[in-house]
Amino acid sequence: MLKLFAAVLLLAGVALAVDNYDGYKIYDITARNAFEKQFLLRLSGNEAYDFFDLPRSLDAASRVMVKPEDQEGFEHLLEKYNVNYLVINENFGESLRKEQEENQSQRLMNLRSAGRSVSFKAFHRHAEINAYLDELAAAYPSRVSVQVAGKSYENRDIKTITITNGDGKTGKNVIFLDAGIHAREWIAHAGALYVIHQLAENFAVNSDLLKNFDWVILPVVNPDGYEYSHTTTRMWRKTRKPISSACYGTDANRNFDFHWGEVGASSYSCSDTFKGETAFSEPETQLIRDLLLSLTGRGKFYLTLHSYGNYLLYPWGWTSALPSSWRDNDEVAQAGADAINSATGTKYTVGSSTNVLYAAAGGSDDYAFGVANFPVSITMELPAGGTGFNPSTSQIEGFVSETWVGIKAMAQKVAEKY
């Protein structure tokens, strides 16, 4: 049945990712003290273990994926140091296949419908996302415009959409939002699309957010990696520019030239956190840099969407020290967390990146704040699925609508302050 289903999808112009992750396990590990947290931090430096989430707080579990040949040694290490763990997924490959089949089915249903190019019942491909942006520009020409901001390494169009209230006033302050720096974080792309949908298609309800601000949104920063995560390796994180014959891609969120490479980034080119051969080695990060710098002065709020972890994080990522204006960032982030908690009961942790998680230099949020002078710069880590990485297709709409509640509250707080 699986082979028949895959054949049908291939005929329809879609494909399941090739790497199957059969036998990979997902572990939740709860540290009871600072020693065990440091032990997990050291383990996270081992390329054999893919840590999805590594919070600093003792009351939050860390989640890690381990391939079959490393599981015995991994479990032995945990047991040797008496670290508690729970296997929450015995076969991640099987879960991924079910998720991908459901996603492809939902995409096909959407393609057959007479509506727009995207829905919030599936994770959509890069071409579908770009088509949706163009549809909005055609439907609302007085308020919406689309630009090709640049090209990815594999020559894909990276598009931004600018949404205004159509009053024709120039020079307004700007909220700049991006998503998908990390390829595998599909719910982040969906979250950006939902913001676009709300601002463009539900303008009457949200016009107050556009009165004094224009929004510039880039929903797919890393299209090469994003497509690769759909077609070949589902958990691909990096860009796709080759570094050597064996290693491809750079962690784009370690590639920005602000304390680049100082901490929390790898010099090993096959690593998921490879910092790049130089700062701004990737065309995708160069593009974000240029957009941010072009908005210096007008740009008041930079928001970058990631997953996962239910975090609202602000600078600094390279040090545990706080910037002098950290309270402004904290106030905006807390407004988002409070709004989400009031609406759905979901709890977000708020704080600086290093103090909530661990230090990692070269991030876009630090660059936006420290170089491009956006006074508010926040990374929003959206929720995860139950026993894996991304939410299921049935969870997408609930998650992105919840995310919108927080983003709207943060935008309103920024509007009050600037």
Side-chain angles (χ1 to χ4, degrees):
M1 179 61 71
L2 175 61
K3 290 181 179 178
L4 176 61
F5 188 86
V8 170
L9 293 173
L10 285 168
L11 287 171
V14 293
L16 298 176
V18 173
D19 293 343
N20 58 31
Y21 295 92
D22 280 344
Y24 283 57
K25 289 182 179 180
I26 308 293
Y27 298 79
D28 271 1
I29 307 171
T30 304
R32 293 164 296 185
N33 51 54
F35 169 79
E36 291 184 359
K37 276 293 181 186
Q38 284 300 312
F39 173 69
L40 292 179
L41 180 61
R42 288 196 296 273
L43 279 184
S44 71
N46 187 329
E47 296 299 328
Y49 311 137
D50 188 348
F51 275 79
F52 294 167
D53 190 21
L54 186 60
R56 188 182 288 269
S57 172
L58 288 177
D59 60 2
S62 297
R63 183 169 293 182
V64 58
M65 178 176 72
V66 182
K67 54 183 177 288
E69 59 267 33
D70 295 319
Q71 289 163 10
E72 183 178 355
F74 180 71
E75 292 177 9
H76 175 74
L77 268 175
L78 296 178
E79 291 162 2
K80 178 181 178 180
Y81 291 98
N82 198 28
V83 177
N84 293 331
Y85 69 89
L86 177 67
V87 179
I88 64 166
N89 193 321
E90 293 278 358
N91 189 347
F92 189 49
E94 182 179 353
S95 300
L96 279 181
R97 277 193 295 276
K98 291 177 180 177
E99 290 174 9
Q100 289 177 303
E101 290 168 14
E102 177 61 26
N103 189 58
Q104 303 290 30
S105 176
Q106 290 291 337
R107 284 182 58 232
L108 287 172
M109 289 175 61
N110 188 66
L111 289 170
R112 287 195 296 266
S113 72
R116 57 186 178 224
S117 292
V118 304
S119 72
F120 298 103
K121 300 183 184 302
F123 296 109
H124 289 277
R125 299 287 288 274
H126 180 241
E128 294 164 356
I129 292 171
N130 276 355
Y132 176 56
L133 303 186
D134 292 337
E135 289 166 11
L136 293 177
Y140 309 104
S142 66
R143 296 190 286 108
V144 176
S145 61
V146 173
Q147 295 80 32
V148 177
K151 297 277 190 178
S152 69
Y153 173 76
E154 295 178 350
N155 207 38
R156 291 182 172 91
D157 285 344
I158 300 177
K159 292 186 176 183
T160 59
I161 184 168
T162 301
I163 306 173
T164 75
N165 67 356
D167 64 7
K169 294 181 180 178
T170 59
K172 285 186 180 180
N173 289 335
V174 171
I175 294 172
F176 179 44
L177 183 153
D178 68 35
I181 286 179
H182 290 143
R184 67 191 187 183
E185 298 170 4
W186 292 0
I187 191 62
H189 309 78
L193 287 176
Y194 196 77
V195 173
I196 292 167
H197 160 66
Q198 287 292 331
L199 293 172
E201 300 189 86
N202 285 346
F203 172 72
V205 176
N206 297 304
S207 60
D208 61 310
L209 299 174
L210 294 155
K211 181 178 180 181
N212 296 314
F213 283 84
D214 294 338
W215 290 60
V216 178
I217 302 176
L218 200 173
V220 189
V221 172
N222 176 14
D224 298 346
Y226 184 59
E227 283 299 298
Y228 194 75
S229 73
H230 277 273
T231 63
T232 307
T233 301
R234 173 61 192 88
M235 301 308 293
W236 188 260
R237 169 184 166 98
K238 301 189 289 181
T239 61
R240 286 296 301 161
K241 189 176 80 173
I243 309 301
S244 67
S245 60
C247 300
Y248 285 73
T250 290
D251 183 343
N253 210 37
R254 303 291 188 277
N255 193 235
F256 285 77
D257 194 10
F258 187 77
H259 294 272
W260 174 75
E262 290 183 8
V263 64
S266 178
S267 298
Y268 173 47
S269 59
C270 286
S271 169
D272 270 352
T273 59
F274 177 53
K275 63 185 180 181
E277 295 176 294
T278 63
F280 292 125
S281 60
E282 308 306 288
E284 296 85 359
T285 56
Q286 294 168 24
L287 182 150
I288 296 292
R289 173 199 64 197
D290 294 346
L291 285 169
L292 288 170
L293 294 177
S294 74
L295 295 170
T296 295
R298 295 173 59 208
K300 302 302 180 185
F301 181 21
Y302 171 65
L303 179 62
T304 181
L305 302 186
H306 289 251
S307 74
Y308 69 88
N310 294 50
Y311 303 120
L312 285 160
L313 308 171
Y314 49 79
W316 300 111
W318 67 276
T319 175
S320 60
L322 296 173
S324 59
S325 61
W326 71 269
R327 288 181 179 82
D328 292 334
N329 282 264
D330 189 79
E331 186 179 353
V332 173
Q334 196 63 58
D338 291 345
I340 290 172
N341 187 245
S342 296
T344 66
T346 298
K347 293 182 179 180
Y348 269 71
T349 300
V350 173
S352 79
S353 299
T354 300
N355 290 304
V356 171
L357 302 175
Y358 291 94
S364 66
D365 50 358
D366 276 7
Y367 186 85
F369 185 79
V371 179
N373 296 322
F374 279 65
V376 179
S377 180
I378 291 174
T379 295
M380 188 174 193
E381 297 270 3
L382 277 62
T387 56
F389 193 82
N390 274 301
S392 66
T393 54
S394 64
Q395 293 175 303
I396 295 172
E397 191 153 18
F399 278 22
V400 297
S401 60
E402 174 185 85
T403 300
W404 168 244
V405 170
I407 292 173
K408 184 172 183 176
M410 289 190 286
Q412 289 169 333
K413 181 60 68 173
V414 168
E416 290 175 11
K417 298 174 71 67
Y418 303 99

